[in-house]
Amino acid sequence: MSDTYREMWRELDMDLEKHDVFLGTLPVAFGEVFLRQENRPAGMAYFDNALAEAHGGRIQEILAGKKAGRMVAGTFCVFAPEELIFAVDGISIGLCGGAQFTVPTGEQVLPRNLCPLIKSAMGFKLDRICPYFQAVDFLIGETTCDGKKKTWEILNEYVPTYVMELPQKKGAADLTLWEGEIHRLKEEIEHRSGREITADRLASGIKMANARRDALARLYRARWADPVPISGKDALLISQLAFFDDPERFTAQVNSLCDELEDRIARGEGVTRKGAPRILVTGTPMALPYWKLHHLVETSGAVIVGEETCTGTRYFAGRVAEDGRTVEDQVKDLARRLTAINCACFTPNKDRVEDILRLVRDARADGVIYFSLQFCQPFGVEGRLVERALQEAGVPVLRLESDYSEEDVAQLKTRIEAFLEMIAS
Ligand code: BJ8
């Protein structure tokens, strides 16, 4: 890494030694997981570089934006209405943690029996090895699972953390509550950025977020082809980068990759043989740099053709209406997304089952892997309902629970291989 980057990290008060150790592990993992794949689309070069520059060029850009007066907000959930951040020309960064490296530090202040996504995020802050955490002006937390909800109180000791009350149900009263929460966040953002959110500005924020959703939806549709034109690992990497990259540039790059993928589909060209076993993954989000499950499945002869997760379809679910003329109407439109995202934090959450069954059909999946991060109660408990519904529909399903460590890799591989054999028979 260049001296300029080191200077930048120093100015961000990062722990340079620890950061060196952390970064040192990534090229090996990335090479092993991504670069060994055959026949990757040429358009992946942009995303490979975006990952390589995640702690370098992208941070430089963000700091330049900050210098020019742009607000930087960290988020942890796909319900955080990024449209409000975009409306003030702010920068939004998703900060859920996906690395085992920071889990032990997270465990110094959080219980060990807590989901690794939360412990990893906390560890990134405490270890001071995440330049984004160091650069944000404030964080937007939300009341989803108990683990996240209570973590904001601790995180607030280190970074100002604003908490939105996300309802647990989706009735009329819940929609009204969420609408009020969006109004309150709007005021907070106006206060922090010093800019008023007018209807025009919010309209551009909504358009920007919708365009990114449309591009991702297009990418996911390309994966329905057989042979599939892009691996699940590459699609996952793109989804993960959506939380970090400049939204307009990211959208343009995803669309240009989709042009390439659609050409491939027209030519019948894929990254696997036609007829390779097709797997849909459903469950907890997979934050950067978590690639374990996808790597195991795709080195066992199958291909992942979709993810019903928050680093998958739930991220781009719920296109917001673009014809709202007043801020009041636009906030109502933003609030309506509540009903489109089927997170296990809601009760009941029956529409998630419908979503999964529809995705199985659309993506022509041969089987489903229900993946739950260890200690995630909402997704762990909801697994039973989803598993039963899939079995009733005649869809083979494998339930897996794991964390970010490498300890269970052999065991997971054995179970995945047995599942794939069962599908093939
Ligand atoms: S909308 S999935 S981003 S809450 S995995 S931290 S639920 S214990 S991340 Fe999530 Fe929003 Fe829901 Fe999506 Fe808790 Fe479970 Fe951990 Fe989770």
Side-chain angles (χ1 to χ4, degrees), residues 26 89 118 175 232 264 267 396:
L26 290 182
D89 192 30
I118 306 173
L175 209 59
R264 280 187 159 201
R267 289 196 305 272

Side-chain angles (χ1 to χ4, degrees), residues 77-79 115 117-118 144-145 148 284-285 310 314 343 376 379:
C77 180
V78 299
F79 279 104
C115 140
L117 183 144
I118 306 173
T144 48
C145 61
K148 269 186 167 178
T284 46
C310 284
R314 291 198 296 268
C343 171
C376 173
F379 283 93

Side-chain angles (χ1 to χ4, degrees), residues 36-42 229-230 234 264 269-272:
R36 284 195 181 185
Q37 299 178 97
E38 282 173 20
N39 200 19
R40 292 177 84 207
I230 183 167
D234 280 339
R264 280 187 159 201
E269 184 186 337
V271 286
T272 55

